[in-house]
Amino acid sequence: MEFRIDSGVLTDAVAWAARVLPARSPMPVLGGLLLEAADGRLRVSGLDHEASARVEVEADTDVEGRALVLGRRLLDICKVLPRGHTEIAVEGARLSVTSGDARFGLSLLPLDDYPAPPALPEIRGQVDGDAFATAVGQVAVAAGRDDSLPVLTGIRLALDGTTMTLAATDRYRYAVRTLEWKPGAESRDEPADVVVPARRLTEIARSLAGTGLARLALNGGSIGFENGGLRTTTRLLDGRLPRHDKLFTLGDHALATTDRAPLTEAVKRVAVVAEGDSPVQLTFTPTSIHLQAGYEDDVASQKLPSTLTGPDTLSVAFNPGYLLDALTTLDAEKVHFHLLGPGQRALLTDGPEAHHRHLLMSVKPLV
């Protein structure tokens, strides 16, 4: 195998494929990246037991062939290559990488021991990469981090007609985002409801941003995405997230509305005196919102304009980190608080159509 490629293109391709490599594995070959050069293209592939990634880029191929090398070592080399053309070739039992005056050698791993990559599941339709990346980022903040409850570390992805619903919860908050997607003719009347590992889906979504329409593939055990030269798959999580329908139905409640950006800055400001997870209190009136945090002499407060429909005054308190996650992932100018009262559920939305909803449990207000 022998080919020439721009060092920047090579680095981007290797970095994208290397993101699925396991940190540790009983199978050393799973730490490898497979390089395949043919027909003016370079394909870089990586996989572990849960996910796979493959990217194809243009390259000047003089000699076709395949090589398997340690992926993270190759990535380290790529990061320090001089800018410009890079020549890569198999020389005996090693891979040589030459760029300018810099030259590196990498031991080859046995190709016969490398497992076949998983096939892409059935294509179900297309989704805009930018919209998908934004939506995944908005719900991923609510996904759990406790691996003893694997399903809560995932993001629910549901398909129903032309609507895709993404949702995540760690039992203390629940984020839901809907967006449009384009189902294929054969999939339009075939709903789906799966749970995808949040970390994997976040990485995939970020890589799809700015790439246009991406094809979504899905079967009973895995999900995949394909766009141009990018292809990735990941296994689904077993189980289902708690349904959010009843949780998000508040019945008779108060509605408060304020500007999102000033409120976000105010929460950051007053939370500096909040120790640990001590709450930030929000007291709403028909014309203002009063923020307060801290205890005894270490306190902070700020007042902002807002509106309140319902009672004359209503106080609720939230974990400041959870509240900031909700506020920063909402992207509308106004934030709407749907409030039942202190110590009860509170729903934050981005507007009347509520494409993005974030449920928080309020805590006991400050005394």
Side-chain angles (χ1 to χ4, degrees), residues 1-3 65-68 88-96 108:
M1 181 181 73
E2 186 175 341
F3 63 90
R66 307 165 74 228
L68 183 68
I88 296 180
V90 172
E91 298 177 348
R94 73 175 185 178
L95 184 79
S96 71
L108 296 177

Side-chain angles (χ1 to χ4, degrees), residues 3-25:
F3 63 90
R4 295 182 303 278
I5 189 172
D6 180 80
S7 61
V9 173
L10 176 65
T11 301
D12 289 344
V14 170
W16 194 82
R19 64 189 175 80
V20 301
L21 297 181
R24 297 181 182 84
S25 173

Side-chain angles (χ1 to χ4, degrees), residues 16 19 43 54-56 119-127 129 132 204 207-208 211-218 223-233:
W16 194 82
R19 64 189 175 80
R43 177 185 295 176
R54 191 188 81 184
V55 56
E56 288 188 8
L120 191 70
E122 176 189 358
I123 299 294
R124 299 290 297 271
Q126 296 178 313
V127 64
F132 185 69
I204 292 170
S207 70
L208 295 176
T211 62
L213 289 176
R215 289 175 290 280
L216 185 154
L218 185 64
I223 190 170
F225 294 86
E226 186 177 46
N227 181 281
L230 304 178
R231 173 184 290 188
T232 185
T233 66

Side-chain angles (χ1 to χ4, degrees), residues 112 171 188 278 360:
D112 292 342
R171 295 182 299 176
R188 186 174 296 274
S278 62
L360 296 175

Side-chain angles (χ1 to χ4, degrees), residues 22-351:
R24 297 181 182 84
S25 173
M27 297 177 61
V29 292
L30 288 185
L33 285 179
L34 179 63
L35 309 181
E36 300 172 279
D39 301 324
R41 306 285 291 177
L42 170 67
R43 177 185 295 176
V44 186
S45 305
L47 58 84
D48 68 3
H49 295 295
E50 303 296 331
S52 71
R54 191 188 81 184
V55 56
E56 288 188 8
V57 293
E58 293 184 358
D60 295 325
T61 53
D62 295 327
V63 179
E64 297 182 358
R66 307 165 74 228
L68 183 68
V69 296
L70 284 174
R72 300 193 189 280
R73 178 65 56 82
L74 178 59
L75 179 59
D76 288 341
I77 290 173
C78 289
K79 289 178 178 178
V80 297
L81 287 176
R83 292 188 177 183
H85 284 294
T86 298
E87 298 179 1
I88 296 180
V90 172
E91 298 177 348
R94 73 175 185 178
L95 184 79
S96 71
V97 181
T98 305
S99 183
D101 295 330
R103 181 179 174 87
F104 301 86
L106 276 174
S107 299
L108 296 177
L109 299 174
L111 280 168
D112 292 342
D113 296 339
Y114 195 66
L120 191 70
E122 176 189 358
I123 299 294
R124 299 290 297 271
Q126 296 178 313
V127 64
D128 179 77
D130 283 333
F132 185 69
T134 298
V136 170
Q138 288 175 318
V139 302
V141 295
R145 307 290 190 270
D146 185 357
D147 290 332
S148 66
L149 297 169
V151 70
L152 294 185
T153 66
I155 292 176
R156 178 191 177 211
L157 189 151
L159 306 174
D160 187 4
T162 60
T163 299
M164 176 186 294
T165 300
L166 300 169
T169 180
D170 60 3
R171 295 182 299 176
Y172 304 104
R173 49 196 172 156
Y174 207 136
V176 176
R177 176 71 157 83
T178 58
L179 69 157
E180 294 296 309
W181 80 300
K182 298 180 179 181
E186 297 179 357
S187 304
R188 186 174 296 274
D189 298 323
E190 187 178 350
D193 196 339
V194 299
V195 180
V196 189
R199 182 177 66 84
R200 296 287 192 193
L201 192 60
T202 299
E203 291 175 347
I204 292 170
R206 287 173 179 167
S207 70
L208 295 176
T211 62
L213 289 176
R215 289 175 290 280
L216 185 154
L218 185 64
N219 61 23
S222 65
I223 190 170
F225 294 86
E226 186 177 46
N227 181 281
L230 304 178
R231 173 184 290 188
T232 185
T233 66
T234 188
R235 287 189 181 181
L236 302 174
L237 293 173
D238 294 329
R240 292 287 182 269
L241 292 185
R243 300 292 297 195
H244 65 269
D245 310 70
K246 292 184 178 179
L247 287 173
F248 282 46
T249 303
L250 301 184
D252 187 26
H253 63 276
L255 175 63
T257 302
T258 189
D259 291 332
R260 183 184 61 85
L263 177 60
T264 303
E265 292 305 311
V267 173
K268 292 178 181 178
R269 192 170 294 120
V270 301
V272 298
V273 299
E275 294 185 4
D277 293 329
S278 62
V280 170
Q281 179 172 298
L282 282 64
T283 300
F284 294 95
T285 73
T287 59
S288 67
I289 174 176
H290 183 256
L291 289 80
Q292 182 181 350
Y295 295 98
E296 298 180 349
D297 293 330
D298 296 329
V299 294
S301 64
Q302 186 170 346
K303 192 174 183 180
L304 298 171
S306 75
T307 62
L308 176 66
T309 303
D312 292 334
T313 183
L314 180 61
S315 293
V316 290
F318 299 103
N319 174 302
Y322 291 173
L323 179 57
L324 282 172
D325 281 343
L327 291 173
T328 54
T329 55
L330 289 164
D331 56 9
E333 181 179 345
K334 299 282 187 180
V335 57
H336 304 264
F337 286 81
H338 305 257
L339 304 167
L340 289 174
Q344 301 187 61
R345 304 190 308 279
L347 185 64
L348 281 65
T349 66
D350 57 3

